[in-house]
Each structure stands twice: as structure tokens, then as C-alpha cells.
Amino acid sequence: KLFLFISLGVLIVFILSLKYSVFSDRVNHYFTPIQIIAFSRFPYLFNNEKTRYFLIYSTALFYIAILFIWLNFAENAHAWIPYQNMLLL
């Protein structure tokens, strides 16, 4: 039921983003769990093994491309490299 409510929230925020883009951008950060669940379960909709591997690798490449673009073109990327995590110290 939780993911159903999150999915409905995503749809509502999508509709609101046409007029209230800043609000929807801030609220979208709370809806990232549905993106993780949807992209991880999407390859299981197909029976062909090659299609599954293509979807898995294309999703990984998509997120690697986003990270690459963000780290190379963001103005605050210097604050993230090298990232000092408290758990890894």
C-alpha cells in the first residue's frame, strides 16, 4: 500500500509540475524510492534474457551518465569530490 500511495503522489506532483515547478522539484526527492523499485523490477516484465540484460545495463549506463554529467558540469561538484563519509573513516 505504501508504494501505491507514493505512486499516486508521483502522479499528482507530475500534474502540479506544470504550474508549480519549484514545489514539485523539492517534493520529488521524497519520491525516489518508487523510482528505485520501478527500475529494479522493470526487466522482469520480459521473458527474453537478452532484453533483460539490455534493460539492466541501459539503466546502469543512464545513471552513470547522469553522475558523469553532474560531476563534470555542476558548480558545486568540488564539494563532493573527495567525499568524506563518516561511515568509511
Side-chain angles (χ1 to χ4, degrees):
K1 288 185 177 185
L2 176 64
F3 290 113
L4 177 67
F5 290 127
I6 292 174
S7 300
L8 291 174
V10 167
L11 292 175
I12 291 170
V13 168
F14 178 72
I15 294 169
L16 289 176
S17 69
L18 298 173
K19 185 166 177 137
Y20 305 107
S21 62
V22 174
F23 169 75
S24 64
D25 180 54
R26 301 300 185 259
V27 173
N28 252 349
H29 293 291
Y30 297 107
F31 293 137
T32 54
I34 196 70
Q35 185 179 20
I36 295 168
I37 297 297
F39 281 139
S40 68
R41 301 297 297 168
F42 187 64
Y44 294 112
L45 294 175
F46 299 96
N47 292 331
N48 190 357
E49 189 173 338
K50 289 183 180 181
T51 307
R52 283 186 187 175
Y53 284 123
F54 174 75
L55 290 172
I56 291 169
Y57 289 127
S58 62
T59 303
L61 286 174
F62 174 72
Y63 281 111
I64 289 170
I66 289 175
L67 180 65
F68 177 78
I69 291 169
W70 186 81
L71 287 176
N72 285 313
F73 298 112
E75 291 184 18
N76 58 352
H78 67 280
W80 290 89
I81 300 172
Y83 184 67
Q84 298 295 320
N85 188 350
M86 295 293 289
L87 299 174
L88 299 176
L89 291 179

